[in-house]
Amino acid sequence: MRKQFIILFLGIISISNAQIKEIEIFGKIKTSLNDKGIPDLNILSISQGHGVQTDSLGNYSYKIKDWKNKRKIELNLSKLGYYKDTIINLTDQNRFEFNLTLKPHLGIDKEKALNDIEKGNICILMSGGIAPIHYKSDGQFSKKYKVNFVEFGCEGVGNDALSVYNNVVFDFLDKKFGVKWRKEIRSDIIGLKK
């Protein structure tokens, strides 16, 4: 009886293992800011419980176990400033290419800056953490040049997005006021080139 049980157990294991197939998902994750790859972006499979990171050019290769031919894989993509949950519908192939272009968190980009300027809501964006630093000169600068300082704190906006947005605003200020405002603004603003 024990011998029959062992044979039955081994048969069940071999049938189970035959239903598991390894699939490689690969591709490139880019940012809409400049169409370049996003380095060090975390890619996590919700069902698999593990993940990989993109390389310095935004490329990745991710091997997952396909249990019982499950054809949908849910991935969580994250890095400071970029967050997305997505579902991939896999094909029957062992290799599946998945490329994606991500928008920055909160839509902070060149188009948003242009829209804000057009609406008269001119802002200079900052990332300050839990305890933002405000100077008396910020208020004076805001009144003089009719701009608002917006601090995101723990909101998770990446410096690349802040720099792109701010540089559009800086170009606007240069056209309207010349470069004199650059001597009066605080020096820690992201994207500021003095």
Side-chain angles (χ1 to χ4, degrees):
M1 181 72 166
R2 185 169 189 233
K3 190 176 184 179
Q4 290 172 333
F5 177 74
I6 291 172
I7 292 171
L8 177 64
F9 180 72
L10 292 174
I12 290 170
I13 289 175
S14 65
I15 290 171
S16 296
N17 285 338
Q19 293 177 352
I20 299 175
K21 181 171 78 173
E22 190 171 76
I23 297 176
E24 179 186 14
I25 301 172
F26 67 97
K28 185 170 192 167
I29 310 295
K30 299 187 293 186
T31 174
S32 64
L33 291 173
N34 56 18
D35 208 36
K36 291 184 180 177
I38 303 173
D40 304 321
L41 179 96
N42 297 306
I43 302 172
L44 173 70
S45 167
I46 306 301
S47 63
Q48 305 277 317
H50 63 84
V52 296
Q53 276 192 331
T54 57
D55 66 13
S56 62
L57 301 174
N59 299 309
Y60 72 96
S61 176
Y62 187 17
K63 292 184 179 176
I64 60 168
K65 302 287 186 196
D66 181 21
W67 178 253
K68 296 183 181 179
N69 293 320
K70 185 178 177 186
R71 304 314 317 157
K72 291 185 179 186
I73 300 293
E74 184 178 356
L75 296 178
N76 172 269
L77 309 171
S78 65
K79 179 182 178 173
L80 179 65
Y82 298 94
Y83 309 99
K84 182 164 181 71
D85 288 327
T86 189
I87 295 176
I88 300 176
N89 292 311
L90 299 173
T91 63
D92 289 331
Q93 300 170 347
N94 290 341
R95 294 189 80 223
F96 184 81
E97 185 172 4
F98 178 71
N99 300 303
L100 188 64
T101 300
L102 294 177
K103 285 188 160 259
H105 183 56
L106 301 177
I108 305 297
D109 59 13
K110 180 180 180 178
E111 288 75 27
K112 179 162 179 42
L114 291 170
N115 288 336
D116 287 350
I117 289 169
E118 187 177 311
K119 293 176 184 173
N121 182 26
I122 302 157
C123 299
I124 295 174
L125 307 183
M126 303 182 301
S127 178
I130 295 172
I133 299 171
H134 297 281
Y135 300 108
K136 183 178 179 183
S137 60
D138 293 347
Q140 296 164 345
F141 186 91
S142 291
K143 285 181 185 177
K144 183 173 182 178
Y145 295 104
K146 296 180 178 44
V147 299
N148 299 307
F149 287 98
V150 177
E151 195 275 324
F152 284 97
C154 299
E155 195 62 42
V157 178
N159 285 352
D160 55 347
L162 294 176
S163 182
V164 166
Y165 182 100
N166 283 345
N167 276 291
V168 172
V169 173
F170 299 158
D171 289 345
F172 170 80
L173 292 173
D174 283 345
K175 288 176 186 165
K176 188 167 183 176
F177 300 105
V179 294
K180 67 178 183 174
W181 67 270
R182 290 180 177 265
K183 295 176 185 165
E184 299 172 39
I185 194 168
R186 53 193 281 185
S187 62
D188 63 342
I189 300 296
I190 294 170
L192 185 64
K193 298 172 223 139
K194 286 195 172 190

